[in-house]
Amino acid sequence: NIAGYFNDPSGFGVGNGPSAIEGKGKQQMIPSPLTDLQKKEIEKERLESMGEELLDNLKNQDFKELIDQIDIEVTDEGLRIEIMESSNDAFFEVGTSTLSEKAKSILSIIGKQMIQVNNKIVVEGHTDSRPFSNGQDGYSNYELSADRANSARRILLSSGLKNDQIDEIRGYADNRLRNVNDP
């Protein structure tokens, strides 16, 4: 009771319950469970921290020149890691789902980072607006973008990511252009 008084003297004052002399101090309050909003905020902070750690890991692995092509943000779905090509660095050969060695290395680092969480992962593939025509009937930018997402998935899995962490593979073709002025 004496320790309780020094931890919370207001709980032992007049009108605040039994006195310490009577042997009954203020009852300890049981913390209420976190609200959904509090849980969401904690998760957001955790994901932001993970994104910063991932960028630091990439900078330390000699990918400093590509950092401006990697966009990491927290969305309603979770942590979005977007790897964008530039005129200097292509992650896929034009019209193929073959990853460059640089892209494989980046995805491997990302996969190793994602091993640390139990979150589900969605891998998206995109293309530019160039019509796809390599002579195969029915093969379009939709198939190419899905094949690119699957190529990325295979590298993530080879880096140690668990197969059951992959929740979806999405192929968007050219429907979600990053730069609508340069499709």
Side-chain angles (χ1 to χ4, degrees):
N1 284 331
I2 293 170
Y5 172 79
F6 285 104
N7 286 331
D8 184 14
S10 65
F12 286 91
V14 177
N16 290 328
S19 73
I21 297 171
E22 295 173 6
K24 298 178 185 175
K26 184 176 179 182
Q27 301 246 338
Q28 281 203 348
M29 297 206 28
I30 299 171
S32 59
L34 295 174
T35 65
D36 287 342
L37 185 60
Q38 289 170 322
K39 288 178 188 175
K40 202 172 202 177
E41 188 60 33
I42 290 170
E43 178 68 3
K44 180 181 176 187
E45 289 172 7
R46 183 178 72 86
L47 292 174
E48 285 173 349
S49 174
M50 181 184 300
E52 290 170 12
E53 185 179 332
L54 178 57
L55 281 176
D56 287 343
N57 285 345
L58 289 169
K59 286 177 188 174
N60 293 334
Q61 300 286 332
D62 293 329
F63 292 110
K64 291 176 188 159
E65 75 280 357
L66 296 175
I67 291 302
D68 60 333
Q69 292 172 240
I70 300 171
D71 189 22
I72 298 178
E73 68 176 315
V74 177
T75 68
D76 289 341
E77 280 190 301
L79 186 66
R80 175 182 291 271
I81 304 167
E82 196 169 6
I83 305 169
M84 300 156 288
E85 293 185 332
S86 74
S87 56
N88 298 334
D89 287 300
F91 297 119
F92 292 96
E93 292 179 33
V94 175
T96 75
S97 61
T98 304
L99 282 160
S100 70
E101 290 304 314
K102 195 177 284 190
K104 289 177 185 179
S105 297
I106 291 171
L107 286 168
S108 181
I109 292 168
I110 291 170
K112 288 175 184 166
Q113 185 86 23
M114 295 296 106
I115 292 170
Q116 301 171 22
V117 297
N118 290 325
N119 297 45
K120 294 291 187 179
I121 295 175
V122 175
V123 182
E124 298 178 355
H126 300 264
T127 66
D128 57 23
S129 289
R130 285 180 254 190
F132 190 85
S133 59
N134 70 351
Q136 297 177 358
D137 289 332
Y139 197 85
S140 69
N141 278 331
Y142 281 105
E143 286 80 15
L144 177 59
S145 61
D147 287 347
R148 287 180 170 184
N150 273 306
S151 291
R153 176 191 57 83
R154 285 188 286 276
I155 298 301
L156 292 169
L157 292 175
S158 71
S159 69
L161 193 69
K162 293 178 236 132
N163 195 40
D164 62 352
Q165 277 187 270
I166 304 287
D167 192 44
E168 288 181 58
I169 300 297
R170 299 176 183 169
Y172 286 111
D174 62 347
N175 289 324
R176 296 189 180 189
L177 294 172
R178 180 85 172 158
N179 183 353
V180 293
N181 296 324
D182 185 14

